[in-house]
């Protein structure tokens, strides 16, 4: 009995967390960037069009948009243009934290739990979040440039766990999108979904929480046992 109680209250070896829509409310920046860039190419982009792209890695989303909208540009170049516009908007307006996000990072730092940013975005965009993170948190990052296969492939989360020498099954992950949840679950991490713009309640293998605000020390002590 004492053994079961002790194993059910072990802190995770690491916390692996998505950026856009999970830690920061940058989805609105991506939507505005898509409107601006599409206008430059003579295309209309309206509310709702972005839903299919949420959580998709830049390589796949760029190919999807170039093909769907018949854009006269190489997908890689389109991805660069779009990312540069998001970075410009982030520099102008900042990348606001989602509720409970900064407090979570502060808690992880205080408990000595390594935290890794796992994002499909490019490093130049991730840097805004890394720079404003509390001291001792997000000291590691896996960006879209660091993997050969992005979300929903498990590679980003497997790489994130390896950066801190952790077994993925001893890590917990937080995500807001279907591709992101699929990536984290496939890696073996204990995965929590934090909804924002899309319904993720049907994703098997993920535990859905209302907000990062519920993640306190007690939550972390029992998170692995909720698999």
């Amino acid at each position: 009995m004492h053994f079961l109680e002790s194993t059910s209250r072990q802190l995770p070896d690491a916390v692996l967390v998505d950026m856009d829509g999970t830690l920061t409310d940058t989805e609105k920046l991506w939507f505005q960037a898509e409107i601006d860039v599409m206008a430059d190419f003579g295309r209309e982009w309206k509310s709702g069009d972005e839903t299919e792209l949420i959580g998709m890695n830049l390589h796949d989303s760029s190919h999807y948009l170039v093909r769907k909208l018949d854009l006269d540009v190489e997908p890689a170049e389109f991805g660069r243009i779009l990312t540069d516009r998001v970075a410009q908007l982030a520099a102008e307006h900042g990348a606001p934290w989602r509720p409970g996000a900064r407090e979570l990072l502060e808690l992880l730092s205080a408990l000595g739990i390594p935290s890794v940013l796992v994002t499909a975005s490019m490093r130049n965009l991730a840097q805004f979040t890394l720079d404003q993170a509390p001291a001792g948190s997000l000291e590691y990052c896996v960006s879209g440039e660091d993997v050969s296969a992005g979300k929903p492939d498990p590679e980003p989360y497997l790489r994130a766990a390896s950066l801190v020498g952790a077994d993925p099954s001893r890590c917990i992950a937080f995500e807001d999108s279907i591709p992101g949840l699929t990536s984290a679950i496939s890696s073996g991490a204990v995965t929590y979904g934090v909804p924002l713009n899309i319904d993720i309640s049907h994703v098997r293998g993920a535990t859905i929480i209302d907000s990062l605000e519920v993640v306190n020390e007690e939550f972390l002590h029992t998170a692995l046992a909720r698999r």
Side-chain angles (χ1 to χ4, degrees), residues 62-73:
S62 296
H63 277 77
Y64 172 83
L65 288 171
V66 167
R67 181 177 64 254
K68 178 179 180 179
L69 300 176
D70 192 26
L71 302 178
D72 186 20
V73 62

Side-chain angles (χ1 to χ4, degrees), residues 128-208:
F128 288 100
T129 297
L130 297 174
D131 288 345
Q132 64 184 12
S137 68
L138 299 187
E139 295 183 325
Y140 305 89
C141 174
V142 176
S143 72
E145 296 157 288
D146 299 323
V147 294
S148 57
K151 303 172 185 180
D153 191 273
E155 183 184 350
Y157 279 94
L158 291 173
R159 182 174 177 84
S162 70
L163 286 177
V164 294
D167 181 336
S169 68
R170 294 280 312 152
C171 299
I172 63 174
F174 294 100
E175 273 281 358
D176 75 306
S177 72
I178 294 173
L181 288 168
T182 302
S183 175
I185 293 165
S186 299
S187 76
V190 179
T191 304
Y192 292 87
V194 190
L196 181 57
N197 293 320
I198 59 173
D199 178 18
I200 55 174
S201 61
H202 61 285
V203 179
R204 297 185 63 182
T207 299
I208 308 302

Side-chain angles (χ1 to χ4, degrees), residues 29-202:
L29 300 183
W30 279 101
F31 180 48
Q32 185 59 53
E34 289 155 5
I35 291 175
D36 296 346
V37 172
M38 293 307 179
D40 291 340
F41 280 93
R43 302 291 192 274
E44 182 183 9
W45 194 249
K46 56 187 182 300
S47 180
D49 289 342
E50 77 281 7
T51 303
E52 294 179 69
L53 305 179
I54 294 175
M56 190 183 296
N57 66 74
L58 186 64
H59 175 273
D60 291 344
S61 60
S62 296
H63 277 77
Y64 172 83
L65 288 171
V66 167
R67 181 177 64 254
K68 178 179 180 179
L69 300 176
D70 192 26
L71 302 178
D72 186 20
V73 62
E74 290 297 317
E77 176 63 10
F78 179 81
R80 184 195 64 77
I81 294 171
L82 185 60
T83 300
D84 286 350
R85 180 58 182 149
V86 176
Q88 180 184 351
L89 290 170
E92 293 172 356
H93 305 288
W97 295 108
R98 284 205 67 195
R102 186 174 180 85
E103 292 79 4
L104 169 60
L105 295 178
E106 291 172 343
L107 176 60
L108 296 175
S109 178
L111 294 174
I113 301 174
S115 52
V116 186
L117 190 67
V118 188
T119 177
S121 294
M122 297 295 100
R123 175 71 64 155
N124 66 332
L125 197 56
Q127 198 62 48
F128 288 100
T129 297
L130 297 174
D131 288 345
Q132 64 184 12
S137 68
L138 299 187
E139 295 183 325
Y140 305 89
C141 174
V142 176
S143 72
E145 296 157 288
D146 299 323
V147 294
S148 57
K151 303 172 185 180
D153 191 273
E155 183 184 350
Y157 279 94
L158 291 173
R159 182 174 177 84
S162 70
L163 286 177
V164 294
D167 181 336
S169 68
R170 294 280 312 152
C171 299
I172 63 174
F174 294 100
E175 273 281 358
D176 75 306
S177 72
I178 294 173
L181 288 168
T182 302
S183 175
I185 293 165
S186 299
S187 76
V190 179
T191 304
Y192 292 87
V194 190
L196 181 57
N197 293 320
I198 59 173
D199 178 18
I200 55 174
S201 61
H202 61 285

